[in-house]
Amino acid sequence: MGTLGDRRATAEIIRRYQFDFRKKFGQNFLVDDSILDKIIEAADITRDDCVLEIGPGIGTMTQRLAEEAGRVIAVEIDRNLMPILNETLADYDNVTVINDDILKVDIPALAAQHGSKRMKVVANLPYYITTPVIMALLERNVPLQSITVMVQKEVADRMTVGPGTKDYGALSLAVQYYTKPEIITEVPADCFVPKPNVDSAVIRLTRYDAPPVSTEDERWLFMLIRASFNQRRKTLANGIANAGIGIGRHQVEETLAQMGLSATVRGEALTLEQFAELSNRLLPLRS
Ligand code: SAM
């Protein structure tokens, strides 16, 4: 069979299986070989790698991954795609397809089961779950080397920006705490069928061995960050005080002053380093 990145090959499979696209699963299949090439190149896969693909669809990228990687584990929620994947992946003996919801899969257990200490994630993500998937993958106990994914362009921007921009928030800080993010390429909507309403981008997140800032309690750092951005129109001190996490407004204001920051500063003005310092200073003050 020819490559599925070809628009006609994809249309033929869809027609032959009478496959109905399900909007609720974010099904926009990639039909552009040059974008596939860029994703595969950016993911830098070798025979030593175990790749986790989230949402293989009809197997377009899965085929390419199987040609490069030692092992591919592809998790697909839609039962109707199973017979198609059976056909399109029949020639590869290093692919395991799991019919499940990625948000319910125990990824560290999956990696261990397949004898992999560290995995690479490669995916054209279903956009409705981008943030929860990325957050779950970034958690400390998930053994990952890199995440190379197609996301909405706007989300790729949020992952890469720094303080003082409207896109900067909890996602930017989490991504930049755990990884080095790089936008690989922008992808116009007409590279997919059906065509989505938004433009997309491929982003690679390369995991740090150690985070770029030091914090005494990672969970507390992220509780503070979430609280700081919960009420974007409020000051950081009010946001934290209103979150009910055991810190009062005056404690935040005093700590900000010790750090040389204004009492009325907003979350979007603080760098990752400043959040780490704030969290370390507030930790012993928690009630
Ligand atoms: N990889 C294919 C491609 O590039 O053409 C399909 C990408 S499509 C944007 C997203 C895929 O993720 C769909 O096949 C969809 O059914 C699947 N999906 C959606 N939600 C999922 C979930 N919670 N867990 C696993 N797969 C999911």
Side-chain angles (χ1 to χ4, degrees):
M1 184 191 307
T3 155
L4 289 169
D6 176 89
R7 199 174 283 270
R8 263 182 311 174
T10 292
E12 192 273 322
I13 294 265
I14 299 297
R15 188 189 47 76
R16 189 150 47 80
Y17 282 87
Q18 299 187 325
F19 176 74
D20 281 326
F21 287 96
R22 315 252 305 261
K23 213 172 176 182
K24 72 164 182 172
F25 288 149
Q27 290 175 338
N28 301 98
F29 296 166
L30 188 57
V31 284
D32 188 306
D33 274 321
S34 70
I35 301 292
L36 273 167
D37 291 341
K38 285 187 186 162
I39 297 174
I40 298 293
E41 193 193 329
D44 189 25
I45 297 156
T46 71
R47 284 280 171 223
D48 292 333
D49 290 322
C50 175
V51 174
L52 170 65
E53 186 189 8
I54 297 159
I58 62 169
T60 309
M61 197 150 67
T62 327
Q63 292 184 337
R64 302 284 298 268
L65 294 169
E67 272 156 28
E68 309 289 329
R71 172 141 296 281
V72 180
I73 307 166
V75 179
E76 172 56 61
I77 199 169
D78 189 350
R79 194 158 32 98
N80 295 340
L81 287 165
M82 294 302 119
I84 302 184
L85 289 167
N86 249 336
E87 176 186 329
T88 58
L89 301 176
D91 290 345
Y92 303 96
D93 60 7
N94 58 344
V95 180
T96 307
V97 175
I98 298 172
N99 184 199
D100 207 343
D101 176 347
I102 190 64
L103 294 175
K104 296 192 179 137
V105 170
D106 180 345
I107 300 168
L110 199 63
Q113 208 178 317
H114 289 271
S116 172
K117 290 208 180 63
R118 291 186 97 187
M119 289 195 296
K120 289 179 178 166
V121 171
V122 186
N124 172 12
L125 283 180
Y127 293 166
Y128 75 107
I129 51 166
T130 304
T131 302
V133 166
I134 297 287
M135 294 305 285
L137 293 173
L138 292 179
E139 268 179 39
R140 262 244 163 287
N141 58 350
V142 180
L144 284 185
Q145 237 169 305
S146 62
I147 304 172
T148 307
V149 281
M150 179 90 70
V151 296
Q152 277 184 49
K153 191 187 164 304
E154 186 220 313
V155 177
D157 291 340
R158 269 166 48 201
M159 292 182 190
T160 47
V161 290
T165 55
K166 75 167 176 30
D167 288 334
Y168 184 65
L171 180 67
S172 332
L173 284 153
V175 163
Q176 293 166 30
Y177 177 80
Y178 289 109
T179 74
K180 175 167 156 243
E182 292 161 279
I183 292 181
I184 303 297
T185 185
E186 294 184 6
V187 184
D190 58 15
C191 293
F192 303 87
V193 283
K195 199 171 148 178
N197 298 329
V198 291
D199 284 333
S200 303
V202 177
I203 188 164
R204 178 178 58 209
L205 312 177
T206 309
R207 184 148 197 139
Y208 292 126
D209 288 329
V213 298
S214 75
T215 170
E216 278 156 39
D217 185 333
E218 218 166 71
R219 283 193 52 221
W220 172 238
L221 168 66
F222 284 104
M223 272 169 80
L224 270 186
I225 288 175
R226 273 195 301 276
S228 306
F229 288 97
N230 256 348
Q231 299 167 293
R232 282 195 90 104
R233 282 159 201 276
K234 294 239 157 90
T235 64
L236 176 125
N238 274 330
I240 292 175
N242 293 344
I245 53 175
I247 294 285
R249 186 163 58 83
H250 292 300
Q251 289 173 305
V252 184
E253 287 174 352
E254 274 166 30
T255 308
L256 288 172
Q258 287 159 15
M259 291 171 60
L261 292 165
S262 151
T264 58
V265 74
R266 287 173 201 275
E268 59 255 36
L270 264 65
T271 63
L272 177 59
E273 290 74 17
Q274 287 170 321
F275 268 114
E277 183 180 348
L278 182 69
S279 80
N280 289 339
R281 284 175 181 262
L282 290 178
L283 185 63
L285 308 181
R286 277 183 85 179
S287 60

